[in-house]
Amino acid sequence: MTIAEVVPSLLSGLEVPGADNTLDLPSARRVVLLLVDGLGHHLLREHAEHAPFLSSLAGRDISVGFPSSTATSLASVGTGLLSGEHGIVGYTFAVGDEVLNSLTWSRAGDHHHDLRKTLVPEVVQPHPTLFERAAAAGVAVSSVAPRVHAGSGLTRAVLRGSWYRGAVGFGDLALGAVAAVRQDRSFCYAYHPDLDTIGHFYGPGSEEWLLQLEFVDALAERIAARLPSGAVLVVTADHGMITADDRIDFDTEPVLWEGVRVIAGEPRVRYLHTESDEVLDVWREFLGDRADVLSREEAVAAGWFGPVGPLAVDRIGDVVVAMRKSAVVVRSQAEPVLSKLTGMHGSRTPQELAIPLLVHSAP
């Protein structure tokens, strides 16, 4: 069971053609899907006492797919496809001659270089979204998410098709989500980013993170309490998180440079576009048991990306590096802020892949 099945399962109750309730979720004509960035199921279970409302809900584990990264998972939510089909294969990835930062839709390393005109979001991710399909079927589809994300490249690429209500805090996020499902046959996607941000800077499970979890729990409880009768609230996430305390610095390890034309991805998963077949063996020997280092063909054959279409093949890179345990490959010079973060995600550990799928039905 994967994150790509969540929205199709919910839309089946809204009578959207082709929607299939593979997750056996409650059928409802008013639905709020709250996605809490960074709320891994392992973390939620470990710190259940800080989230009494969420922990009280009926739920289960599902997987985000690979890589366990925000843009990739949001694309799976929006399209119902895994990364090998929708092609948003990570935080950064090569599209032709550019390395795209998919969160900022800018050139990697240069957030001021807007690529929305040269890498048109609807072309980079051309599959119709589930929101577009639902709207075409007469469902009132809304998104309530940070105001700064309205019209962004990622929003256009993977979440297009809904009416967008920008939120600036907990209060208008909660009230906006409830208002969005007042009418019959309505679906609202609500997104909260701050638990992930806190985790990146202070670490998952830190005092700061635990207090933020308590706020998130209160947010979900407030939404649930205000839902109209018969509505359903589903809470999920886009990935979990680990604390990174074993750092390999690509920028200061010349042995890792040889034959690497482009390096993309993020510290927990790297894509290497190579000029030499020796890169695979060099990285395997250097990283040892700190990573799974596979050729593109091996990673695809292992099913890491789900079914892989032509859109994603070149973006994956010739070599795929998925870090194990607490190891990361940072770039101290090219990615100075990212390299210093405490909490990381993107790889294939259960702590990163497993997310909760929690359900509340309003009486």
Side-chain angles (χ1 to χ4, degrees):
M1 296 181 290
T2 71
I3 195 172
E5 300 168 78
V6 174
V7 176
S9 293
L10 293 172
L11 293 182
S12 66
L14 291 161
E15 302 172 5
V16 175
D20 186 6
N21 193 359
T22 57
L23 295 179
D24 194 28
L25 294 173
S27 179
R29 295 175 68 87
R30 293 177 173 87
V31 176
V32 173
L33 173 64
L34 173 62
L35 192 146
V36 179
D37 200 322
L39 183 65
H41 209 176
H42 285 251
L43 288 167
L44 180 59
R45 281 198 296 262
E46 185 177 350
H47 304 291
E49 69 277 12
H50 292 273
F53 174 72
L54 291 175
S55 299
S56 74
L57 300 180
R60 71 189 101 161
D61 273 3
I62 60 174
S63 174
V64 297
F66 178 78
S68 51
S69 195
T70 296
T72 301
S73 293
L74 297 190
S76 293
V77 167
T79 64
L81 306 170
L82 294 175
S83 59
E85 291 184 294
H86 61 59
I88 306 297
V89 297
Y91 172 63
T92 72
F93 54 90
V95 183
D97 295 330
E98 294 279 13
V99 177
L100 171 68
N101 181 321
S102 57
L103 289 184
T104 60
W105 217 264
S106 61
R107 180 175 293 159
D110 182 5
H111 289 187
H112 300 291
H113 193 100
D114 192 338
L115 294 177
R116 283 178 293 179
K117 291 183 178 179
T118 54
L119 294 180
V120 178
E122 294 84 357
V123 175
V124 174
Q125 197 300 103
H127 296 282
T129 71
L130 295 166
F131 297 169
E132 290 174 311
R133 287 174 48 193
V139 176
V141 183
S142 302
S143 294
V144 184
R147 186 172 293 181
V148 295
H149 295 176
S152 73
L154 183 62
T155 297
R156 285 171 51 186
V158 306
L159 301 172
R160 58 182 180 265
S162 66
W163 179 78
Y164 196 98
R165 176 171 178 157
V168 295
F170 281 109
D172 57 348
L173 176 64
L175 293 178
V178 173
V181 293
R182 284 181 181 150
Q183 68 187 82
D184 187 44
R185 294 191 73 216
S186 51
F187 176 90
C188 177
Y189 163 78
Y191 169 80
H192 181 66
D194 294 351
L195 187 70
D196 175 73
T197 305
I198 291 284
H200 279 306
F201 281 93
Y202 298 98
S206 63
E207 186 176 359
E208 294 84 358
W209 188 93
L210 291 174
L211 186 55
Q212 187 67 32
L213 178 62
E214 293 175 9
F215 293 149
V216 166
D217 191 67
L219 169 68
E221 187 174 25
R222 299 302 189 277
I223 293 173
R226 288 167 170 78
L227 287 178
S229 179
V232 165
L233 169 66
V234 174
V235 182
T236 191
D238 53 349
H239 54 74
M241 187 175 285
I242 59 97
T243 298
D245 53 21
D246 178 13
R247 296 169 191 259
I248 301 99
D249 189 351
F250 175 85
D251 290 345
T252 61
E253 291 287 355
V255 68
L256 298 180
W257 304 348
E258 290 296 323
V260 176
R261 179 172 53 85
V262 173
I263 178 171
E266 57 192 293
R268 287 288 288 170
V269 53
R270 290 294 184 181
Y271 297 128
L272 311 178
H273 297 262
T274 67
E275 297 172 334
S276 167
D277 294 337
E278 296 177 1
V279 171
L280 183 66
D281 291 333
V282 169
W283 278 68
R284 278 178 174 164
E285 182 177 355
F286 187 91
L287 293 177
D289 64 1
R290 299 155 100 182
D292 293 309
V293 183
L294 274 62
S295 68
R296 177 202 291 131
E297 292 74 20
E298 290 170 333
V300 169
W304 282 12
F305 301 92
V308 177
L311 193 67
V313 170
D314 291 339
R315 301 176 185 181
I316 290 172
D318 302 298
V319 175
V320 183
V321 183
M323 305 306 294
R324 298 177 182 169
K325 300 177 183 178
S326 63
V328 289
V329 174
V330 300
R331 299 200 63 190
S332 59
Q333 297 171 34
E335 300 167 350
V337 175
L338 188 64
S339 297
K340 294 177 182 177
L341 296 179
T342 301
M344 302 270 194
H345 54 83
S347 196
R348 302 181 64 250
T349 67
Q351 289 77 13
E352 293 160 283
L353 291 177
I355 55 170
L357 186 66
L358 311 173
V359 179
H360 167 81
S361 297

